[in-house]
Amino acid sequence: QVQLVEAGGGSVQSGGSLKLSCTASGDTLRTYCMGWFRQAPGHEREAVASTDSDGRTTYADSVIGRFTISQDNAKNILYLEMNNLTPDDTAVYFCAADPRWINDWSNVKSYHYWGQGTQVTVSS
């Protein structure tokens, strides 16, 4: 059983930066497919970025060039560095993990383990 705990959320002004972390326990993340998702009020949960066990990364179009997903296998932590934030990035951010190979990285149903989320609020 894998437990995921997100941290690093907060309130920033437009143009600011935040770095989210997702600490895992119960298993090593090295062989997992990992993802970051977000959910704004009244909206469905949407994919932000993912990384697979080979280190390949994928991003939603809306965050390309601004967000970077990375993983520290030694510490078992997944990161999401977010720059040039806008009010549209306001949401609860979740990390997700699955030990299997994922074909559809953007599908919430592809991931078995989820964290509780961390709030990111960007003001204009």
Side-chain angles (χ1 to χ4, degrees):
Q1 186 77 8
V2 172
Q3 292 81 41
L4 303 173
V5 179
E6 301 95 337
S11 297
V12 297
Q13 291 190 329
S14 186
S17 299
L18 285 172
K19 187 173 184 177
L20 307 182
S21 64
C22 172
T23 302
S25 60
D27 202 353
T28 177
L29 297 182
R30 185 178 294 109
T31 60
Y32 280 58
C33 289
M34 304 293 299
W36 284 100
F37 286 73
R38 65 188 180 185
Q39 188 167 16
H43 291 77
E44 293 186 353
R45 194 167 297 189
E46 65 174 3
V48 175
S50 75
T51 181
D52 66 18
S53 56
D54 293 327
R56 288 172 295 204
T57 58
T58 310
Y59 297 91
D61 288 345
S62 61
V63 306
I64 290 175
R66 301 189 300 122
F67 290 13
T68 302
I69 188 172
S70 62
Q71 189 167 330
D72 186 331
N73 289 327
K75 297 181 179 179
N76 229 24
I77 300 176
L78 179 74
Y79 296 102
L80 183 69
E81 185 169 2
M82 306 184 295
N83 297 311
N84 196 20
L85 286 161
T86 74
D88 288 341
D89 296 315
T90 295
V92 178
Y93 283 70
F94 300 89
C95 69
D98 199 280
R100 304 164 298 174
W101 181 260
I102 292 178
N103 288 321
D104 185 358
W105 74 275
S106 64
N107 191 336
V108 296
K109 297 180 180 179
S110 297
Y111 299 84
H112 185 72
Y113 300 106
W114 289 84
Q116 293 300 305
T118 185
Q119 176 71 47
V120 172
T121 303
V122 185
S123 58
S124 58

